[in-house]
């Protein structure tokens, strides 16, 4: 496109040239050609439409318009062209007005094309991904970015902010998306692919179409929230009618593949291996392939709305075929173990299942018959024939199940009703022998066969199915509430009975043997005589319940008394028989005799309390006697074993009482906490303790003996009673009292503890003896004959130095003794060494006094002798 330039000479001023008629006329002729050219170009550009249905075609169109109009615009900007327009303007030519209108249109359309091309170019990358991306997933990720860019174009552009431009552009995008989906979901190749891969493709395609619509409405909201006064209120039908329809088609295709996959999964190799009719399974698999074959050879585009009726026809035909095939497969594969409705019994449930399958295909065929074209087709006739075959097999299956059930019910129900109400189980096994009442392993169980309940349920459902039932089965079914009531009450009664038996100890079982025998006699009727046809079942339950209730009350009363007895025995067992005196003021501990006397005195006080508690036990046992035997003598033969049980308990408690107290005493002996003190004394010529070790050991043994002899105060009962045995006069003046002492004292545990205590006390005393041996280094102080030593010194008349050495030695001993520790703790004994230290010190001082006296006498003799010599001289 090129503008024709004028041939006249345009050198000179514009004002001058505008006055030259020849120049003006020539320029006017030239301008007319320009106007015609521009008008023609504009008309051609306005008529142009995008070459294609996609959005990229619209971008290419605007670029082409921009290039064309830019070429004209650039020529109009040439200096020569501008001067021509100025001359014509100056000449005030009438033609100038029309030309300016054309030039204004050119400018307007050029700006529109230029701006549209610029803004739409920002979408080009997204649109190319849309049309030529690697997969459908690329489209899904592109759509949000594309719509966001479109939103910006709508807000910023002066031309693509109008519905007349934006809606067609969105339609092109919608077309592009649907075209890509068509290419992906190509039925010619889709049904030849792996089912999993095909399902994946369909799912991705469907998700892409749904994402397109969802992102569009999201963008609509964003446009409104952006503050723009121009909202996206476009015709949704124009944009999404086709894609929404394609979503439905994708769902249909997915359902078809899903059903096909499920049908093929039924015929896994393992099924063919274990099936009793593998050829039948192969035949079913071939029929499935036949069902889906029409999908591969469609003569129309299923994604086109115009073909909606044809597609619906194909899908309906597929569903009819599949329904018959599915029902046939379900029936064949579940014959032996049919799925049952909730609470349905096996036989009636199987018949109901078979009938429900039959109704499903019957409904399908009925709908099929309404479409004469479908039924008249070759495939329709095949489906009808398959339906008739399946329905016939289902009827045979139903008849077989019913007749087998009726025959078995008529045979087994009379036998079941002859069962007794209860059975006896001993050590986990049912038995018909008489139960042993003293064994806790004996229990009664309800003997109501589950088969009776099953027959009742089967009978009800058979009648609901319209099938005749045996008269006895109908009679039993009518009595269902009564049987349920009986079984429920019997279970409750048996639970109470078993809990009661578990509640009783062996001693209580023997004590209440008479009552238990009476209860067994009543229960025996349900074990031996009463059957489920008997009329006295209700009375039997009432009698059992009442008897159990009475026995329960008695057992609870006995348990309450047993708790009181156990409480008293616990109190006796926990008594402390070794209470020790507290240290006196100044941390002075009692002496050994005082210590053991205190223990004995406290034991005497505790014994009084123990005897009082023990004396109350027979009264409690007499209370049990009064409730069980209706006597209060304390010597009822019915309670002999019970008396013996509690007497044995008393023996065990007394044994534990002594053992625990001796253990406590032994622990106290071993603890490094002094409880008594003894003194170390000098008993010339030996160092010993006061009292000595032998006396302490005797006191310890006596204390142990006193503890064990506490049991002498617990008088034994006469045989078969809870009455204390009176003293027995054996010989004149000799009385024997039967107590627990003779038995308790022989307990190995008690003997063991007594030996341990004496050994530990002996070790403590031996350790203290070793401590005293250290003082033997001073034994010359009292073992040497002082008179002899002093006489020898007097005869020898040693020098004063010798006297000084001896005096220094004894003075050192006296001082050394004062520095020795005066207390030695060994386990529970504290040894006071002060008396011994004082004695040693006194002995040392005595030697010092004696040596001093001797020295004085010798010195005086020397003095007098010297004085005599002086006088003589």
């Amino acid at each position: 496109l090129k503008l024709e330039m004028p041939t006249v000479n345009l050198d000179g001023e514009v004002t001058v040239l505008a006055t030259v008629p020849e120049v003006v006329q020539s320029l006017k002729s030239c301008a007319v050609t320009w106007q015609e050219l521009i008008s023609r170009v504009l008309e051609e550009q306005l008529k142009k439409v995008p070459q294609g249905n996609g959005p990229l075609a619209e971008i290419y169109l605007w670029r082409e318009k921009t290039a064309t109009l830019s070429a004209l615009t650039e020529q109009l900007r040439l200096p020569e062209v501008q001067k021509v327009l100025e001359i014509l303007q100056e000449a005030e030519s009438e033609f100038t007005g029309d030309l300016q209108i054309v030039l204004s249109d050119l400018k307007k359309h050029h700006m529109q094309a230029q701006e549209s091309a610029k803004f739409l170019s920002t979408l080009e990358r997204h649109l190319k991904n849309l049309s030529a991306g690697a997969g459908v997933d690329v489209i899904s990720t592109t759509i949000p970015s594309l719509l966001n860019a479109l939103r910006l174009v709508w807000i910023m552009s002066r031309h693509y902010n109008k519905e007349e431009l934006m809606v067609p552009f969105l339609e092109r995008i919608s077309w592009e998306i649907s075209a890509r989906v068509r290419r992906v979901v190509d039925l010619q190749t889709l049904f030849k692919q792996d089912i999993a891969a095909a399902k994946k493709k369909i799912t991705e395609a469907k998700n892409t179409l749904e994402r397109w619509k969802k992102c569009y409405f999201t963008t609509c909201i964003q446009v409104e929230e952006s503050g723009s006064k121009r909202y996206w209120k476009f015709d949704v039908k124009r944009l999404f009618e086709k894609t929404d329809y394609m979503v439905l088609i994708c769902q249909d295709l997915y359902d078809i593949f899903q059903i096909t996959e499920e049908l093929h999964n039924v015929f896994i190799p393992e099924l063919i291996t274990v099936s009793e009719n593998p050829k039948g399974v192969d035949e079913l698999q071939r029929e499935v392939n036949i069902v889906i074959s029409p999908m591969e050879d469609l003569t129309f585009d299923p994604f086109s709305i115009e073909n909606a009726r044809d597609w619906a026809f194909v899908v309906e035909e597929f569903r009819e075929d599949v329904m018959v095939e599915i029902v046939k497969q379900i029936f064949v594969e579940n014959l032996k173990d049919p799925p049952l409705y909730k609470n349905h019994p096996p036989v009636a449930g199987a018949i109901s299942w078979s009938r429900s399958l039959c109704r499903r295909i019957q409904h399908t065929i009925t709908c099929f018959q309404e479409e004469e074209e479908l039924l008249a087709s070759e495939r329709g006739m095949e489906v009808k024939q398959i339906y008739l075959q399946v329905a016939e097999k289902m009827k045979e299956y139903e008849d077989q199940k019913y007749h087998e059930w009726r025959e078995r019910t008529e045979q087994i129900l009379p036998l079941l009703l002859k069962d007794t109400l209860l059975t006896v189980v001993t050590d986990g096994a049912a038995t018909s022998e008489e139960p042993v009442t003293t064994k806790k392993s004996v229990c009664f169980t309800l003997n109501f066969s589950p088969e009776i309940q099953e027959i009742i349920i089967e009978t009800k459902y058979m009648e609901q199915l319209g099938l005749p039932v045996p008269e006895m089965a109908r009679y039993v079914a009518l009595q269902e509430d009564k049987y349920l009531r009986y079984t429920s009450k019997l279970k409750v009664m048996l639970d109470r009975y078993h809990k009661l038996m578990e509640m009783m100890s062996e001693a209580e079982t023997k004590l209440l043997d008479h009552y238990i025998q009476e209860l067994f006699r009543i229960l025996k009727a349900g074990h031996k005589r009463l059957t489920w046809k008997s009329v006295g079942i209700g009375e039997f339950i009432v009698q059992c319940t009442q008897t159990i209730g009475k026995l329960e009350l008695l057992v609870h009363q006995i348990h309450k008394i047993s708790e009181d007895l156990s409480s008293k025995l616990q109190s006796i067992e926990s008594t402390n028989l070794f209470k020790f005196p507290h240290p006196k003021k100044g941390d002075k501990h009692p002496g050994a005799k005082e210590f053991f006397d205190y223990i004995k005195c406290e034991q005497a006080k505790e014994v009084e309390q123990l005897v009082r508690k023990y004396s109350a036990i027979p009264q409690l046992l007499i209370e049990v006697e009064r409730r069980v035997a209706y006597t209060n003598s304390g010597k009822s033969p019915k309670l002999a074993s019970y008396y013996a049980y509690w007497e044995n308990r008393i023996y065990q408690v007394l044994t534990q009482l002594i053992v625990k107290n001796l253990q406590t005493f032994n622990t106290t002996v071993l603890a490094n906490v002094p409880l008594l003190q003894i003194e170390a004394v000098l008993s010339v010529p030996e160092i010993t303790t006061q009292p000595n070790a032998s006396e302490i050991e005797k006191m310890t043994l006596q204390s142990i003996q006193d503890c064990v002899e506490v049991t002498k105060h617990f008088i034994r009962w006469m045989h078969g009673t809870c009455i204390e045995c009176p003293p027995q006069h054996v010989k004149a003046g000799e009385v024997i009292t039967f107590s627990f002492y003779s038995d308790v004292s022989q307990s190995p545990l008690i003997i063991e503890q007594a030996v341990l205590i004496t050994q530990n006390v002996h070790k403590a005393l031996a350790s203290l003896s070793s401590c005293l041996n250290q003082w033997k280094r001073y034994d010359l102080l009292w073992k040497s004959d002082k008179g002899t030593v002093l006489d020898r010194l007097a005869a020898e008349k040693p020098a004063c130095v010798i006297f000084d050495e001896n005096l220094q030695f004894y003075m050192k001993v006296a001082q050394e003794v004062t520095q020795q520790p005066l207390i030695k703790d060994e386990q529970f004994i504290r040894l006071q060494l002060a008396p011994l230290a004082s004695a040693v010190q006194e002995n040392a001082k005595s030697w010092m006094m004696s040596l001093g006296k001797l020295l004085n006498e010798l010195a005086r003799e020397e003095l007098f002798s010297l004085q005599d010599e002086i006088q003589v001289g």
Side-chain angles (χ1 to χ4, degrees):
L1 298 173
K2 191 173 182 180
L3 296 177
E4 182 181 343
M5 294 295 112
T7 57
V8 298
N9 186 6
L10 296 179
D11 295 337
E13 295 295 329
V14 173
T15 54
V16 175
L17 293 173
T19 59
V20 180
E22 293 82 2
V23 173
V24 172
Q25 185 62 37
S26 176
L27 295 179
K28 182 179 179 182
S29 175
C30 185
V32 167
T33 60
W34 292 355
Q35 180 179 343
E36 290 175 351
L37 176 61
I38 293 171
S39 297
R40 178 170 55 80
V41 169
L42 288 175
E43 185 178 356
E44 288 175 356
Q45 294 301 316
L46 290 174
K47 288 181 178 178
K48 281 187 176 182
V49 294
Q51 298 301 304
N53 296 322
L56 284 174
E58 189 161 338
I59 296 177
Y60 299 151
L61 175 63
W62 283 115
R63 286 179 179 170
E64 183 183 343
K65 285 183 179 183
T66 301
T68 302
L69 298 180
S70 292
L72 289 175
T73 303
E74 290 299 321
Q75 293 182 67
L76 289 172
R77 290 174 182 169
L78 292 172
E80 188 177 359
V81 175
Q82 289 296 314
K83 193 169 186 179
V84 170
L85 294 176
E86 289 176 3
I87 294 170
L88 291 175
Q89 186 72 26
E90 184 67 24
E92 296 181 353
S93 171
E94 295 179 0
F95 172 73
T96 304
D98 294 336
L99 179 59
Q100 288 299 326
I101 292 172
V102 172
L103 292 177
S104 178
D105 286 346
L106 174 61
K107 182 179 179 181
K108 182 183 73 173
H109 289 296
H110 176 245
M111 288 180 63
Q112 180 183 6
Q114 199 173 35
E115 186 184 86
S116 298
K118 181 182 72 172
F119 278 109
L120 293 183
S121 292
T122 62
L123 311 174
E124 186 172 8
R125 177 172 59 89
H126 303 304
L127 295 174
K128 283 183 177 178
N129 283 337
L130 210 64
S131 63
V136 182
D137 55 330
V138 176
I139 301 175
S140 292
T141 55
T142 300
I143 289 172
S145 304
L146 172 60
L147 284 170
N148 187 54
L150 266 178
R151 179 177 63 83
L152 296 177
V153 169
W154 174 266
I155 294 171
M156 299 171 66
S157 173
R158 287 179 294 178
H159 301 288
Y160 267 85
N161 60 358
K162 300 178 182 64
E163 184 175 342
E164 55 267 22
L165 286 178
M166 184 57 77
V167 171
F169 193 72
L170 287 170
E171 281 188 279
R172 288 178 174 277
I173 294 174
S174 184
W175 180 89
E176 189 70 61
I177 293 172
S178 61
R180 282 301 307 275
V181 169
R182 276 189 171 90
R183 292 200 295 273
V184 171
V185 188
D186 180 16
L187 300 190
Q188 298 295 326
T189 59
L190 200 63
F191 280 93
K192 295 177 182 178
Q193 294 180 2
D194 176 70
I195 291 179
K199 285 170 62 180
K200 182 180 179 183
K201 281 188 176 182
I202 294 170
T203 301
E204 289 176 348
K206 179 173 174 286
N207 291 341
T208 299
L209 295 169
E210 290 174 338
R211 186 172 179 80
W212 158 237
K213 187 173 184 178
K214 180 180 178 182
C215 289
Y216 166 78
F217 284 112
T218 302
T219 306
C220 290
I221 295 172
Q222 292 173 346
V223 170
E224 291 184 18
E225 293 175 348
S226 66
S228 173
K229 295 181 180 179
R230 298 182 302 279
Y231 299 156
W232 279 18
K233 300 292 184 181
F234 307 146
D235 185 356
V236 176
K237 184 177 180 181
R238 283 181 64 182
L239 299 179
F240 299 108
E241 183 181 19
K242 292 180 180 179
T243 55
D244 285 349
Y245 179 72
M246 292 180 72
V247 168
L248 297 176
I249 300 303
C250 286
Q251 186 60 54
D252 286 341
L253 288 171
Y254 185 88
D255 293 343
I256 289 169
F257 276 103
Q258 180 67 27
I259 293 170
T260 304
E261 183 179 38
E262 292 173 359
L263 290 174
H264 281 297
N265 286 342
V266 172
F267 310 115
I268 57 176
E270 291 81 358
L271 174 64
I272 297 173
T273 303
V274 301
S275 175
E276 295 181 357
N277 184 15
K279 291 183 179 180
V281 174
D282 290 338
E283 180 62 28
L284 289 173
Q285 196 165 13
R286 282 193 295 272
E287 290 180 2
V288 170
N289 294 331
I290 293 173
V291 167
I292 62 175
S293 59
M295 299 289 175
E296 303 177 20
D297 304 316
L298 293 179
T299 57
F300 60 88
D301 179 10
F303 291 110
S304 176
I305 297 179
E306 291 77 15
N307 299 323
R309 188 175 184 282
D310 293 335
W311 174 251
F313 182 87
V314 171
V315 171
E316 185 63 28
E317 184 178 28
F318 171 80
R319 286 176 177 162
E320 304 300 342
D321 288 357
V322 165
M323 180 57 70
V324 175
E325 290 297 333
I326 290 175
V327 169
K328 182 178 179 181
Q329 291 169 26
I330 292 173
F331 180 71
V332 170
E333 297 306 320
N334 293 280
L335 277 175
K336 292 186 177 180
D337 186 19
L340 304 179
Y341 293 110
K342 188 177 180 180
N343 300 325
H344 273 56
V347 180
I351 295 173
S352 296
W353 167 75
S354 175
R355 287 189 178 184
S356 67
L357 290 179
C358 189
R359 282 194 298 272
R360 285 167 65 181
I361 57 175
Q362 187 177 19
H363 172 72
T364 300
I365 294 299
T366 301
C367 296
F368 209 51
Q369 289 173 338
E370 294 176 0
E371 298 287 342
E372 295 183 2
E373 297 178 13
L374 282 174
L375 192 61
S377 66
E378 182 179 351
R379 184 57 189 162
M381 297 299 291
E382 291 178 4
V383 171
K384 181 180 178 182
Q385 188 60 35
I386 294 172
Y387 160 72
L388 293 174
Q389 292 174 358
V390 173
E392 184 178 355
K393 286 185 177 296
M394 289 178 175
K395 186 65 173 67
E396 292 175 359
Y397 174 77
E398 177 184 330
D399 292 343
Q400 180 185 354
K401 283 283 185 183
Y402 166 72
H403 289 301
E404 288 177 354
W405 172 80
R406 184 181 181 105
E407 182 179 343
R408 174 169 173 75
T409 299
E410 290 175 342
Q411 179 182 358
I412 197 173
L413 184 56
L415 300 177
L416 294 174
L417 293 176
K418 290 181 180 179
D419 287 342
T420 57
L421 303 182
L422 307 176
T423 57
V424 174
V425 178
T426 305
D427 296 327
T431 178
S432 58
E433 298 176 1
E434 290 295 324
V436 182
T437 60
T438 56
K439 288 188 178 181
K440 301 289 282 293
S441 58
V442 176
C443 66
F444 290 94
T445 59
L446 184 66
N447 193 28
F448 186 76
S449 174
E451 287 190 71
I452 297 177
Q453 184 62 33
E454 187 176 298
I455 289 172
I456 290 173
I457 299 172
E458 291 279 11
T459 301
K460 288 185 174 182
Y461 278 96
M462 288 293 184
E463 289 187 323
Q464 290 178 12
L465 292 170
L467 298 172
V469 297
E471 284 302 318
M472 182 174 287
R474 178 181 287 107
Y475 171 78
V476 172
L478 292 174
Q479 304 294 317
E480 181 185 17
D481 290 342
K482 183 178 72 174
Y483 284 121
L484 289 175
R485 188 168 62 253
Y486 285 161
T487 54
S488 175
K489 289 183 177 181
L490 284 169
K491 284 179 182 178
V492 172
M493 181 268 290
L494 291 175
D495 285 343
R496 285 182 64 186
Y497 163 75
H498 292 132
K499 286 179 182 178
L500 178 61
M501 294 303 293
E502 288 296 324
M503 191 188 303
M504 289 188 287
S505 65
E506 185 176 350
E508 289 167 343
T509 304
K510 292 179 180 179
L511 170 67
L512 300 173
D513 183 67
H514 172 73
Y515 293 89
I516 297 173
Q517 290 286 3
E518 175 63 19
L519 177 57
F520 272 29
R521 185 188 64 77
I522 297 170
L523 288 170
K524 184 179 176 182
H527 171 52
K528 290 290 185 181
R529 179 172 55 82
L530 293 174
T531 68
W532 294 104
K533 295 193 297 182
S534 302
V535 294
I537 298 177
E539 292 78 0
F540 168 74
I541 296 172
V542 171
Q543 190 178 9
C544 289
T545 303
Q546 290 176 348
T547 306
I548 291 171
K550 291 178 182 178
L551 184 55
E552 276 179 339
L553 178 60
L554 182 56
V555 169
H556 285 304
Q557 292 172 343
I558 293 172
H559 279 180
K560 182 66 175 65
I561 297 171
S562 296
E563 289 173 5
D564 292 343
L565 288 167
S566 297
S567 175
K568 291 187 181 299
L569 292 180
Q570 178 62 33
S571 176
I572 292 173
E573 185 179 335
S574 60
T575 300
N576 181 9
L577 297 177
F578 284 95
K579 292 184 178 179
F580 308 118
H582 298 291
K584 299 177 181 178
K585 292 183 179 180
D587 197 30
K588 184 178 180 182
H589 294 82
K593 187 174 186 308
E594 183 184 354
F595 175 78
F596 286 107
D597 285 347
Y598 182 88
I599 291 175
K600 186 172 184 178
C601 181
E602 291 298 319
Q603 277 183 359
K605 295 177 184 178
E606 291 296 334
V607 167
E608 290 180 8
Q609 298 294 328
L610 293 175
V611 171
R612 194 175 297 116
K613 293 173 185 176
Y614 174 70
S615 299
I617 291 175
Q619 294 303 317
L620 293 172
L621 292 175
I622 290 172
E623 178 63 20
V624 174
E625 178 188 342
R626 188 179 65 79
R627 297 180 183 277
V628 175
Y630 304 105
T631 60
N632 57 359
S633 62
K635 53 183 179 180
S636 171
K638 292 182 179 179
L639 273 76
S641 63
Y642 200 60
Y643 299 144
Y645 165 77
W646 282 105
E647 192 171 20
N648 184 56
R649 281 283 305 276
I650 293 168
Y651 162 73
Q652 294 172 355
V653 165
L654 291 176
T655 302
Q656 284 300 309
L657 168 69
I658 304 304
V659 169
K660 288 180 180 178
N661 275 279
L662 292 180
Q663 287 174 340
T664 302
F665 186 38
N666 187 44
T667 303
T668 305
V669 167
L670 292 172
N672 292 318
V673 179
L675 295 176
L676 61 88
Q677 68 179 26
I678 59 177
E679 295 180 347
V681 295
L682 178 60
S683 179
V684 178
E686 298 296 332
I687 297 174
T688 185
T689 59
Q690 184 66 37
N692 60 36
S694 176
E695 291 172 336
I696 293 173
E697 289 182 354
K698 286 180 181 179
M699 292 179 190
T700 303
L701 282 172
Q702 186 58 48
S703 184
I704 294 171
Q705 184 64 26
D706 289 343
C707 176
V708 178
E709 287 183 355
V710 165
T711 56
K712 287 184 176 181
H713 298 274
F714 293 84
I715 309 302
R716 295 292 296 267
W717 298 336
M718 289 187 289
H719 181 69
T721 73
C722 62
I723 301 172
E724 292 184 1
C725 185
Q728 301 295 309
H729 298 275
V730 181
K731 297 178 182 178
E734 184 180 354
V735 179
I736 296 177
T737 302
F738 292 103
S739 69
F740 284 94
Y741 172 76
S742 58
D743 294 315
V744 173
S745 60
Q746 300 302 316
S747 170
L749 293 173
I750 293 175
I751 295 171
E752 179 185 356
Q753 288 301 317
V755 171
L756 280 175
I757 293 170
T758 54
Q759 288 176 347
N760 290 329
V761 171
H762 180 77
K763 288 178 183 177
L765 294 171
S767 178
L768 292 175
S769 178
S770 298
C771 173
L772 292 178
N773 288 336
Q774 298 175 8
W775 290 78
K776 289 184 178 181
R777 65 179 182 270
Y778 303 120
D779 60 358
L780 288 176
L781 294 175
W782 55 84
K783 285 188 176 181
S784 299
D785 188 346
K786 189 184 299 182
T788 304
V789 172
L790 292 175
D791 289 343
R792 187 175 68 248
L793 282 174
E796 293 176 356
K797 295 182 180 181
C800 290
V801 175
I802 301 300
F803 278 98
D804 183 60
E805 289 177 354
N806 284 309
L807 287 170
Q808 289 293 333
F809 169 74
Y810 290 119
M811 184 180 296
K812 183 180 178 182
V813 169
Q815 291 176 348
E816 185 180 302
V817 168
T818 60
Q819 296 173 357
Q820 295 291 331
L822 301 180
I823 293 176
K824 169 66 175 175
D825 289 339
E826 185 66 33
Q827 295 180 5
F828 76 119
I829 301 175
R830 169 164 290 180
L831 177 62
Q832 291 287 356
L833 294 166
L836 177 60
S838 178
V840 173
Q841 195 174 31
E842 288 297 325
N843 274 276
K845 288 179 179 179
S846 176
W847 277 98
M848 291 169 64
M849 292 294 293
S850 297
L851 285 172
K853 184 178 180 182
L854 176 61
L855 179 60
N856 182 48
E857 290 176 354
L858 290 176
R860 288 185 65 183
E861 288 180 6
E862 287 291 328
L863 179 62
F864 290 143
S865 175
L866 181 61
Q867 187 177 4
D868 291 342
E869 288 179 4
I870 293 172
Q871 289 178 356
V872 172

